[in-house]
Amino acid sequence: MPGALADDGASAYDGIGAIDDETPRVGRPRDPRVDSAVREATLRLLVEDGYQATSIQAIARLAGVSAPSIYRRWSSKAELVEEAVFPTGQLVEPSLTGDIGSDLETYCRGIVEHLADPAVRAAIPGLLTEYQTDPELFQRLVQRSLTPMRAAFADFVARTGRQPVADVQSLFDVMIGALFVRAISTGAADAEAFASQVARVISAALIAEEAS
Amino acid sequence: MPGALADDGASAYDGIGAIDDETPRVGRPRDPRVDSAVREATLRLLVEDGYQATSIQAIARLAGVSAPSIYRRWSSKAELVEEAVFPTGQLVEPSLTGDIGSDLETYCRGIVEHLADPAVRAAIPGLLTEYQTDPELFQRLVQRSLTPMRAAFADFVARTGRQPVADVQSLFDVMIGALFVRAISTGAADAEAFASQVARVISAALIAEEAS
Amino acid sequence: MPGALADDGASAYDGIGAIDDETPRVGRPRDPRVDSAVREATLRLLVEDGYQATSIQAIARLAGVSAPSIYRRWSSKAELVEEAVFPTGQLVEPSLTGDIGSDLETYCRGIVEHLADPAVRAAIPGLLTEYQTDPELFQRLVQRSLTPMRAAFADFVARTGRQPVADVQSLFDVMIGALFVRAISTGAADAEAFASQVARVISAALIAEEAS
Amino acid sequence: MPGALADDGASAYDGIGAIDDETPRVGRPRDPRVDSAVREATLRLLVEDGYQATSIQAIARLAGVSAPSIYRRWSSKAELVEEAVFPTGQLVEPSLTGDIGSDLETYCRGIVEHLADPAVRAAIPGLLTEYQTDPELFQRLVQRSLTPMRAAFADFVARTGRQPVADVQSLFDVMIGALFVRAISTGAADAEAFASQVARVISAALIAEEAS
DNA sequence: CAATAACCGAGACGGTACGTCGAGTCTTATA
DNA sequence: TATAAGACTCGACGTACCGTCTCGGTTATTG
């Protein structure tokens, strides 16, 4: 049944029997090229000019699309950027293959690699700023991205049979926070080395079960 | 006597002991009430309306001050916010009083408390966004705030006589990153509890020196 | 028949008799109420507050219109004022009905009446000032207003069969200059009396052809 | 003693040996270099940049002087420009030397020469614009410059013994208006030729007295 | 096969913020 | 005690983006 949840989540988007994802069936259908052109323009502007300069009008200009066509699809810049930067289910999961230390290192590298992506780096502070106005947006993103990661990490720790010196949620927060800040501030430079350092710290916080 | 006059004029500018803090000594002096009113208005707007809505014009309106008076003092919103939020030398330092664990806990609490301040929380994502346009600003802040903290932490670790499982700089980054993200995302709620969890993780990364 | 549609579409743009007044046929059309409100506000402010105080922002306020809406239509205050004050082809022409003296008097009265209009009076010095920066604007107005008047006057003189004591162009300049300065400086007060005095002077400069 | 004050006031303007025209005798004396520097800067800016761009601040900058130093001496830009451009008593007077036609030509040339001076040309429309706000200024200038000219012209006409076809005041207005507009609009180019044309027109308006 | 309805681009709309500049006034140190 | 310098408030400048709207015109699906 644990898989059921994932299935449900999927079905919401493209599952069998999904009748109506709120798009109308009559009238001229939306041009899918508009969607992709906008997404591409958004990513490019984010990387090249930063979040602030990535205005809706600038995106429209670069994408060769009208502003209303964008507003028809996304209700705000935050929503558009979020969707462009975190498409869906880009889940990084830890896998227990043998040595806990190297497993964690692989895991941390995966996370930092994703966060250090130039578009992601550029988008995050901007999104955080927007969340001040619309906290709901933030909750949605957390729900969508962070919650499943959190569960997967907890599962990983449980399967190691180790005893964490802090509660698992906080340990996850430490790891994510460290990687997040590093990715945002320094980017991809030396990210791998830092990821392995973080992995060591997290490792050290997982004490081997007593023999007894 | 006529020469004396000229000498006086010169000595006013570069005489021995002249403080010369780049402020002009002639003309109407700046009204210090303007400075403080602007700073207060900035903090209030940051907390109430967020970084985006904290426009220079809105600050001017709230402070009862003209926009040019603000631009005369600060070259940009980023600079003004930075100065309002990180006044100067608000250094949190770790002290080795006895138990390393509780020392670290105190330290982490101090950091998270500062970062969880509503104005700081509101300012940081906005400043990070601006740094995309003007990276120099970021370096200045890091230099001013983070570098001394980093040194103090390294010193603290050295004095504990413990051996960190990761290099000290990375350990600092892990700690700061964890506290930073928590403060930004969740604020002051349960911050103390989280700080002690972080302290435990950092503690665990400091291995007691071999007896040998 | 399917091709016909496309042809129709094309003919709508460049068919025979297409008016093609350079206005775009796509996009939301301009609200004509904005144009007229701006023009009215401009005239009113010119009369009440003078040219200097007639700022674009003041016009926008009074017209209940945004400043960008004005800049969308007119590139500068000078252009807007010029259009508001000299709408188009308000030509005053002399007519040879019988007595040259009374014809000239009627003509001069017409000119001074137009120039003494409060809005015109208020606008002219302002426009002249702007022309120092942008001489092209001045040439355009001259071309538009003065050149046809000049031609009509020359024609009038020719038809009288009289011999002017000075060349016709200079005579026109004398007449216009006199009326212009009077209208600007004194306004409509006693303008009619002055017009007839000017007519006498111009009359006296037209010598009856020798009998021979 | 009571009369002393009033006497001082009067002597300031027209008393014999008037030492001191209302400037205070105590305190730091005004630097006369400021006056001349400001006047020169004003004329230069008028010619180079036009009336609009000749702001008090620009004059202060160019003259190497502070804005308050200017306001201390002149109450407004109009007053400063007026004084700089029409220093005092630059009276052009007609003289009856023999042939009325050539006398008038000399007279007209003198007037147009003065008005066509680049600084005068640049100043006049600006001053006229300011007069909309402050009509009093205009009257003062008229009183100071035009009234004596008007009287001198009337005297000239009287001495010719000719009978003008229009009243003398209007004739003066025609002449001045014609020369004024020409000087403002065209400047010095061909001014002499135009002056002689005007002289002819005015001549023609002066009919030789009947022999009877 | 016609009617319908949502789409498309273009561009105008009212608002608002931007950062700069000029107008005059006020305050301080200096002469 | 008046001057010179510079900060002061106020408001205009012209531009950009916001999110919405009104167009003319297109393209699918429905009746």
Side-chain angles (χ1 to χ4, degrees), chain A residues 10-86:
Chain A
S11 76
Y13 291 96
D14 46 33
I16 300 164
I19 296 166
D20 187 330
D21 47 352
E22 77 184 289
T23 52
R25 262 160 305 271
V26 291
R28 176 176 174 176
R30 286 187 181 159
D31 188 339
R33 287 171 307 173
V34 172
D35 295 64
S36 55
V38 168
R39 263 186 274 262
E40 279 170 32
T42 304
L43 292 175
R44 190 168 149 198
L45 282 175
L46 275 173
V47 174
E48 292 179 0
D49 301 347
Y51 186 87
Q52 283 286 15
T54 304
S55 68
I56 297 272
Q57 332 280 326
I59 295 169
R61 262 196 305 274
L62 181 58
V65 146
S66 71
S69 290
I70 297 181
Y71 283 111
R72 213 171 281 128
R73 291 166 167 79
W74 297 276
S75 67
S76 67
K77 184 166 103 174
E79 205 170 89
L80 163 55
V81 168
E82 193 182 304
E83 195 193 298
V85 165
F86 306 110

